[in-house]
């Protein structure tokens, strides 16, 4: 064969088309039949071992490869599409987004830059996001993998505000910059301080109140003490939807302090930002519209398929100054494909990046913002139902207030180990997938109700399943709970 004429395209497009149609049918069946299957299946050892093979020199028939997908991959994924998946803070995805992934794959656009429609769609999505949280027109932003990256990039913007170009040239050097966040801030915020070169200790963890919200008085006091000791406060992070309990910091009060102290105010609203679309919840996030930057994900409460994180920066010029770099091979041009600056590669760390914006644009276009807001309200109503069931039960108790969609509770009298075993049993039996977290130094069962498919009977069934396991004579292999 003349190797110069080989490409990766098939010699028989009809065969590829037929297989592609089969894949599409199978995946639509997969979504339509989610309720019929277990939430999660443990991957057997032989399947795990199958993914430790050496590099294949030759290819196989695509039909065989797809059969292996059906046999060894599809059954063993996380399970977050399932209505009874309530672990961590995972979105359920949606069929429109799934189809958009196919379209994006077919376009294979590199959205790092250049003058093409992928960049225009991303700018549209960023503008919609700014409108959602109440930031002004002209707000900058960029799509990223998730809120971990968006929080990191926000820290870099705050650093730019504090140190300007000198900070980019010389690094943090001897500047004693310190930031503030609640004690229950997500791990990625201290991680961002670490990665940005400030060090973990440069993030002051402010104590929380009984509702797991940052104590505003303690924040003021920490800033005062730091200034007295010669530190320079440069960043305060307000959490809008805490990962453990869904707590929302008093963003208005934080905005006031940040303005008075000339400190960058960043909101980590990884999932909470979507509550801005829910009329009954929007008030809880009052003050987010005053943030200098907001990090959030479309892949959580907005149900877009992974991954789809977003950073918003009020001062678009500052975002460009934080990340922009001039190089000959990416030089701006007045016309042609190299026009259309600023490019996303100058608004964040990634140069090559896929067409994430398409699945977000298609999801919002197809369902509308009101439907997404209604899902947020529904999942919070389901959480309130779970709280009621826990309160009504003699055997369960709440571990923390549940202001949004996350409910942390315990089985009375159970040890941490017993509770962890109970959750693992529910997962391994494929019945439900709650997760666990530590509240006040003790383990709690954590139901994060994010999935648009979850319905009231799923919540009732979760409580029934737990009670069936823990009641005397129930299926639990552990010592029975007292009381
Ligand atoms: C409050 C909060 N911040 C940040 C993150 C990190 O987001 P991601 O997983 O998209 O990186 C999460 C994840 O759940 C979160 O709940």
């Amino acid at each position: 064969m003349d190797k110069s004429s080989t490409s990766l395209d098939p010699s028989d497009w009809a065969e590829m088309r037929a297989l592609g149609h089969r894949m599409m049918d199978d995946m639509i069946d997969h979504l339509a039949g989610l309720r019929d299957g277990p939430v999660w299946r443990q991957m057997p050892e032989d399947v795990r071992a199958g993914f430790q093979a050496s590099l294949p020199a030759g290819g196989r028939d695509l039909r065989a490869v797809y059969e292996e997908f059906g046999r060894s991959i599809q059954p063993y994924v996380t399970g977050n599409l399932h209505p009874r998946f309530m672990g961590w803070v995972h979105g359920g995805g949606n069929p429109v987004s799934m189809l958009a992934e196919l379209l994006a794959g077919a376009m294979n656009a590199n959205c790092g830059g250049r003058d093409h429609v992928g960049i225009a769609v991303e700018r549209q999505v960023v503008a919609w996001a700014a409108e959602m949280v109440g930031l002004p027109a002209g707000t900058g932003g960029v799509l990223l993998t998730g809120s971990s990256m968006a929080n990191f990039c926000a820290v870099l913007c705050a650093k730019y505000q504090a140190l300007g170009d000198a900070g980019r040239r010389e690094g943090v050097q001897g500047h004693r910059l310190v930031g503030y966040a609640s004690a229950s801030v997500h791990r990625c915020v201290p991680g961002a301080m670490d990665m940005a070169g400030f060090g973990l200790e440069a993030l002051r963890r402010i104590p929380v109140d009984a509702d797991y919200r940052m104590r505003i008085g303690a924040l003021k006091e920490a800033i005062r003490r730091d200034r007295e000791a010669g530190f320079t406060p440069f960043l305060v992070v307000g959490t809008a939807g805490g990962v453990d309990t869904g707590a929302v910091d008093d963003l208005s009060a934080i905005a006031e302090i940040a303005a008075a102290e000339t400190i960058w105010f960043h909101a980590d609203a990884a999932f909470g930002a979507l509550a801005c679309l829910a009329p009954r919840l929007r008030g809880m996030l009052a003050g987010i519209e005053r943030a200098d930057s907001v990090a959030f994900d479309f892949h959580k409460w907005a149900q877009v398929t992974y991954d789809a994180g977003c950073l918003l920066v009020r001062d678009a010029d500052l975002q460009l100054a934080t990340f922009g770099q001039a190089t000959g091979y990416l030089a701006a041009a007045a016309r042609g494909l190299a026009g259309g600056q600023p490019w996303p590669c100058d608004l964040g760390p990634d140069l090559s990046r896929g067409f994430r914006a398409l699945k977000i644009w298609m999801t919002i276009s197809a369902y509308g913002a009101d439907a997404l807001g209604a899902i947020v309200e529904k999942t919070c109503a389901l959480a309130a139902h779970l709280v009621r069931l826990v309160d009504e039960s003699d055997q369960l108790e709440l571990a923390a207030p549940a202001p949004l969609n996350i409910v942390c509770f315990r089985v009375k009298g159970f040890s941490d180990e017993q509770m962890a075993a109970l959750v693992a049993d529910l997962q391994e039996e494929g019945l439900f997938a709650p997760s666990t977290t530590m509240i006040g130094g003790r383990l709690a069962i954590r139901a994060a109700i994010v999935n648009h498919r979850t319905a009231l009977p799923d919540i009732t069934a979760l409580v029934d399943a737990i009670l069936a396991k823990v009641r005397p004579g129930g299926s639990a292999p552990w010592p029975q709970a007292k009381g």
Side-chain angles (χ1 to χ4, degrees):
M1 184 195 268
D2 171 11
K3 290 207 170 161
S4 67
S5 69
T6 56
S7 94
L8 298 179
D9 287 336
S11 51
D12 181 351
W13 279 106
E15 208 178 301
M16 176 67 87
R17 183 190 307 273
L19 184 57
H21 282 206
R22 204 182 110 202
M23 288 178 182
M24 180 78 79
D25 284 343
D26 289 350
M27 290 308 105
I28 287 176
D29 285 347
H30 170 69
L31 295 189
L34 284 169
R35 272 195 183 276
D36 303 334
V39 178
W40 176 73
R41 272 189 198 94
Q42 174 93 55
M43 184 185 349
E45 280 317 308
D46 61 320
V47 170
R48 201 184 295 275
F51 293 105
Q52 290 158 12
S54 51
L55 177 70
R60 282 185 287 155
D61 187 300
L62 181 57
R63 280 167 303 196
V65 177
Y66 180 56
E67 267 157 35
E68 188 173 349
F69 165 83
R71 211 174 41 249
S72 300
I73 296 178
Q74 193 187 337
Y76 306 114
V77 288
T78 330
N80 50 305
L81 281 75
H82 198 287
R84 294 189 174 188
F85 185 99
M86 301 166 192
W88 301 274
V89 180
H90 278 37
N94 76 77
V96 171
S97 187
M98 177 188 86
L99 295 174
E101 300 260 26
L102 173 68
L103 304 184
M107 302 299 107
N108 192 28
N110 183 342
C111 291
R114 291 151 290 272
D115 193 9
H116 61 99
V117 72
I119 311 295
V121 177
E122 178 155 344
R123 287 182 188 142
Q124 169 69 90
V125 164
V126 165
W128 282 346
E131 190 180 334
M132 173 181 83
V133 299
L135 282 165
T139 290
V142 71
L143 299 179
L144 295 156
T145 46
S147 286
S148 299
M149 276 305 288
N151 281 314
F152 174 49
C153 292
V155 168
L156 295 175
C157 290
K159 169 176 162 260
Y160 188 88
Q161 176 174 265
L163 301 178
D165 286 331
R168 289 195 68 189
R169 275 194 317 273
E170 297 154 17
V172 177
Q173 297 274 357
H175 295 278
R176 300 174 78 200
L177 297 180
V178 285
Y180 305 84
S182 101
S184 38
V185 70
H186 191 272
R187 56 170 235 163
C188 68
V189 175
M193 293 291 281
D194 174 18
M195 291 192 295
F198 294 105
L200 293 170
E201 286 173 11
L203 185 72
R204 313 302 204 212
R205 306 287 197 99
I206 307 300
V208 291
D209 62 18
D211 292 326
Y212 295 89
R213 306 172 84 205
M214 189 197 290
R215 286 185 190 275
I216 297 300
L219 170 64
K220 283 187 193 157
E221 180 54 21
I223 294 172
R224 191 193 60 73
R225 267 201 320 268
D226 277 332
R227 286 208 193 276
E228 254 176 40
F231 291 98
T232 304
F234 82 111
L235 165 72
V236 56
V237 179
T239 298
V243 64
D244 278 328
T245 68
V248 182
D249 286 337
D250 184 343
L251 302 179
S252 293
I254 295 173
E256 283 300 316
I257 294 170
E261 300 275 352
T262 326
I263 300 177
W264 186 273
F265 167 30
H266 171 67
D268 175 11
F271 64 95
L274 265 287
C276 290
L277 295 180
R280 260 174 285 172
L281 301 167
R282 162 126 219 160
M284 289 174 68
L285 276 79
I288 194 169
E289 72 288 348
R290 295 175 65 185
D292 293 302
S293 55
V294 176
F296 81 98
D297 291 318
F298 286 102
H299 57 224
K300 293 190 166 88
W301 245 349
Q303 317 292 335
V304 173
T305 45
Y306 283 88
D307 49 33
C310 183
L311 170 69
L312 296 172
V313 184
R314 174 186 297 275
D315 182 344
D317 292 338
L318 182 143
Q319 184 186 5
L320 185 58
T322 301
F323 295 101
Q325 283 187 58
T327 53
Y329 47 88
L330 291 172
R335 40 192 288 272
L337 185 51
Q341 277 78 9
W343 291 354
C345 65
D346 287 321
L347 301 173
D350 298 316
L351 175 52
S352 292
R353 44 204 296 287
F355 196 176
R356 277 191 196 106
L358 184 64
K359 60 193 175 184
I360 303 170
W361 179 81
M362 284 189 70
T363 296
I364 296 175
S365 300
Y367 296 106
D370 290 352
L372 300 181
I375 287 163
V376 168
E377 277 188 8
K378 178 186 91 162
T379 49
C380 289
L382 294 176
H385 179 63
L386 178 52
V387 168
R388 273 194 301 279
L389 295 179
V390 168
D391 281 343
E392 282 165 20
S393 159
D394 293 340
Q395 284 168 290
L396 304 177
E397 62 189 3
L398 269 189
L404 289 173
N405 59 331
I406 302 179
V407 184
C408 293
F409 60 101
R410 299 192 175 97
V411 180
K412 287 182 189 168
F414 259 40
S415 67
D416 287 3
E417 292 71 28
Q418 286 174 303
M419 225 120 48
L422 169 62
V423 167
D425 278 359
L426 290 168
Q427 293 169 354
E428 286 175 359
E429 289 164 25
L431 298 175
F432 293 91
S435 57
T436 61
T437 191
M438 298 302 286
I439 303 282
R442 287 184 53 212
L443 191 123
I445 302 172
R446 175 166 165 274
I449 303 157
V450 185
N451 192 322
H452 58 103
R453 302 183 180 96
T454 305
L456 203 78
D458 298 311
I459 304 296
T460 310
L462 168 71
V463 172
D464 288 348
I466 291 174
L467 292 179
K469 283 179 175 297
V470 303
R471 79 167 53 98
S475 61
W478 46 74
Q480 295 301 327
K482 304 178 217 102

